[in-house]
Amino acid sequence: MQLVSELSKKIIKEVQLVMKEHVIVTDIRGIIIASTEEKRVGFFHEGAWNVMQKKQKLYISKKEAADLKGVKPGINLPISYQGDIIGVIGITGTPEAVEPFADIIRRLTELIIREAYYIETKEWENKGVEAFFREWIYSQQVDAEFIERGHILGVQVDSAYCCTLFQIDSSLSKKKQQQVQEMIRYWFESHKAEGDYIANWGYDRLLLLKEAVGEKARRGFKEELIKCQQYIQANNQVMITIGVGKPAEQFNLHASYEEAKKALKVASKRQAVVFYEELLMDMMLEDVSEPVKKEFLSRVLSSIQKEKELLETLKCYLANDQSLKKTAFDLHIHINTLHYRLKQMKELTDIDPKSVKGITLFYLALSLLE
């Protein structure tokens, strides 16, 4: 592993939280790549170079600093990772004054590096799993080589799964989205069953492959998803929506994935957890083309779409299952006023909201509109 500028800046930032002395980090060539004194970055540090050669701590007095290129008094320490010296950290000051901090700062630095390496390794693993899942979802067939690659990644391809998609609010900053992704991952690492797999799916989604289970266990899975949704909302004030496809046939994920996408689209409107098999009207509406939707809306609602009072009355009327009494009560109007508004709708649209055909057309139109 090599020290890079971004990681070195993070080390400097963390060290500044525990001490006020100036600090530098150099690479294996003795070049300063991060410093609390920005003007020193990019210059050669002869003391760090000597540390790299001797692989041991170096105390530099005021007198010795005058004889070395790019050096100030203090202590320089080698930074180790997995037995290799990968750079040097230097603390400015008289050696006696900074000695108590030296080994603590070196250990803190090595912990930061180990953490960064772990995160980087996990990211590469996640990207590998994500790429594998994408290939799997869009593959026409699965061969022995593909199954073997899955086993190497720890994925049992020869089991049956259903696809679950998590959608994070895309208006959040990238950093916040990553935090929410990690919280969802943490939840399912803690709660998931053996044989379930989760992967990042772009910057604002995750994909969970859930091993196919019976109907009873599937109801339990929905309860688990709702708990996860509530957990994320309570801890982040962020709403996530979740769509779940039906269990796929062995090896064939594509159908379940497409179902999860449709369920997620409906879930995003409802801010809920939606299983594909729960969709009835929504399933039909999702497959209607945009031109047909616009034409249908134009024919059914165009004459009342700008009549806010009539539109709200229609929505309330539908929400109350065409109960005149409940609708009038919710709208705080006399029942005769409601009759008059429904009559206006019929006159303006030539569709009777009191008939089965009429109310069906209005329900479809409002569903498309929303």
Side-chain angles (χ1 to χ4, degrees):
M1 184 179 183
Q2 290 188 344
L3 275 176
V4 293
S5 177
E6 285 305 311
L7 178 56
S8 300
K9 286 177 183 176
K10 182 181 178 181
I11 291 167
I12 294 292
K13 188 176 179 181
E14 293 295 325
V15 169
Q16 280 184 301
L17 296 175
V18 295
M19 64 181 298
K20 295 180 180 178
E21 282 76 7
H22 285 298
V23 179
I24 63 163
V25 175
T26 79
D27 61 16
I28 58 175
R29 302 168 299 165
I31 303 297
I32 299 173
I33 54 176
S35 172
T36 49
E37 298 175 280
E38 192 66 32
K39 62 184 180 182
R40 298 186 72 186
V41 174
F43 287 92
F44 177 70
H45 192 285
E46 193 174 352
W49 173 254
N50 290 340
V51 170
M52 290 297 305
Q53 302 309 303
K54 296 178 181 179
K55 296 181 172 38
Q56 61 184 25
K57 186 189 303 183
L58 177 64
Y59 296 86
I60 303 172
S61 66
K62 208 170 189 178
K63 182 180 177 183
E64 290 167 325
D67 297 327
L68 296 171
K69 187 176 179 181
V71 172
K72 291 185 177 183
I75 299 177
N76 286 185
L77 304 100
I79 302 170
S80 298
Y81 180 74
Q82 293 184 345
D84 296 325
I85 308 297
I86 61 171
V88 173
I89 186 162
I91 308 168
T92 301
T94 57
E96 297 79 12
V98 297
E99 174 70 34
F101 306 108
D103 281 322
I104 295 173
I105 296 305
R106 178 180 57 77
R107 288 176 187 173
L108 173 63
T109 300
E110 291 174 354
L111 278 172
I112 293 168
I113 291 168
R114 281 201 293 273
E115 179 190 33
Y117 179 75
Y118 173 78
I119 292 171
E120 184 180 328
T121 302
K122 288 298 290 181
E123 283 179 354
W124 277 107
E125 286 177 4
N126 291 340
K127 285 177 181 177
V129 171
E130 180 183 341
F132 181 79
F133 284 173
R134 286 190 186 278
E135 185 179 347
W136 188 4
I137 283 168
Y138 293 108
S139 292
Q140 297 297 319
Q141 59 183 34
V142 171
D143 57 21
E145 183 185 345
F146 185 85
I147 294 172
E148 181 61 28
R149 277 199 288 138
H151 289 166
I152 292 169
L153 289 168
V155 180
Q156 299 299 318
V157 179
D158 43 1
S159 294
Y161 300 94
C162 71
C163 291
T164 301
L165 284 169
F166 297 80
Q167 176 72 57
I168 302 165
D169 185 351
S170 58
S171 66
L172 298 175
S173 67
K174 188 175 180 181
K175 184 177 180 181
K176 185 66 175 177
Q177 285 173 344
Q178 288 174 339
Q179 288 175 351
V180 176
Q181 279 186 333
E182 285 306 309
M183 287 195 76
I184 297 171
R185 278 182 165 279
Y186 171 77
W187 176 274
F188 277 95
E189 289 298 327
S190 305
H191 297 78
K192 77 184 178 95
E194 187 179 353
D196 295 351
Y197 307 97
I198 191 163
N200 291 359
W201 208 247
Y203 67 93
D204 62 349
R205 284 186 180 182
L206 284 97
L207 172 71
L208 171 71
L209 294 191
K210 174 74 177 174
E211 197 160 16
V213 293
E215 188 177 335
K216 185 177 178 181
R218 198 160 165 81
R219 287 197 296 270
F221 177 46
K222 183 169 186 178
E223 290 172 7
E224 196 65 49
L225 291 172
I226 291 170
K227 286 179 185 176
C228 175
Q229 185 188 50
Q230 292 169 344
Y231 167 75
I232 298 299
Q233 189 173 8
N235 287 277
N236 284 275
Q237 288 70 57
V238 171
M239 176 58 72
I240 62 167
T241 50
I242 305 169
V244 186
K246 292 187 300 183
E249 295 178 8
Q250 192 178 35
F251 301 130
N252 182 15
L253 279 182
H254 185 72
S256 182
Y257 175 70
E258 291 299 322
E259 290 164 357
K261 284 203 300 183
K262 289 177 181 177
L264 182 65
K265 196 169 182 180
V266 176
S268 297
K269 295 174 184 175
R270 299 180 185 172
Q271 294 195 327
V273 176
V274 174
F275 280 55
Y276 182 76
E277 57 264 37
E278 298 169 345
L279 302 180
L280 294 171
M281 186 73 75
D282 308 89
M283 184 170 62
M284 182 188 72
L285 295 178
E286 286 302 320
D287 286 331
V288 177
S289 68
E290 286 303 316
V292 172
K293 286 180 184 179
K294 288 179 182 178
E295 176 67 19
F296 184 79
L297 283 171
S298 175
R299 291 190 186 189
V300 177
L301 290 182
S302 62
S303 55
I304 63 168
Q305 203 161 343
K306 292 182 181 178
E307 301 288 338
K308 187 177 179 182
E309 189 177 73
L310 292 182
L311 206 58
E312 289 304 315
T313 300
L314 180 59
K315 289 178 182 178
C316 188
Y317 182 57
L318 282 163
N320 284 304
D321 293 325
Q322 299 89 61
S323 168
L324 296 171
K325 188 176 178 181
K326 287 181 181 178
T327 304
F329 179 81
D330 286 352
L331 291 172
H332 308 292
I333 60 175
H334 194 275
I335 198 161
N336 289 340
T337 305
L338 177 57
H339 279 297
Y340 175 71
R341 290 184 185 177
L342 294 173
K343 184 181 176 184
Q344 277 186 297
M345 289 177 208
K346 181 179 178 181
E347 289 172 352
L348 289 169
T349 63
D350 202 27
I351 299 170
D352 185 359
K354 293 181 181 179
S355 70
V356 174
K357 179 182 176 182
I359 204 62
T360 302
L361 290 171
F362 279 131
Y363 178 80
L364 284 169
L366 286 177
S367 298
L368 289 171
L369 189 64
E370 291 171 0

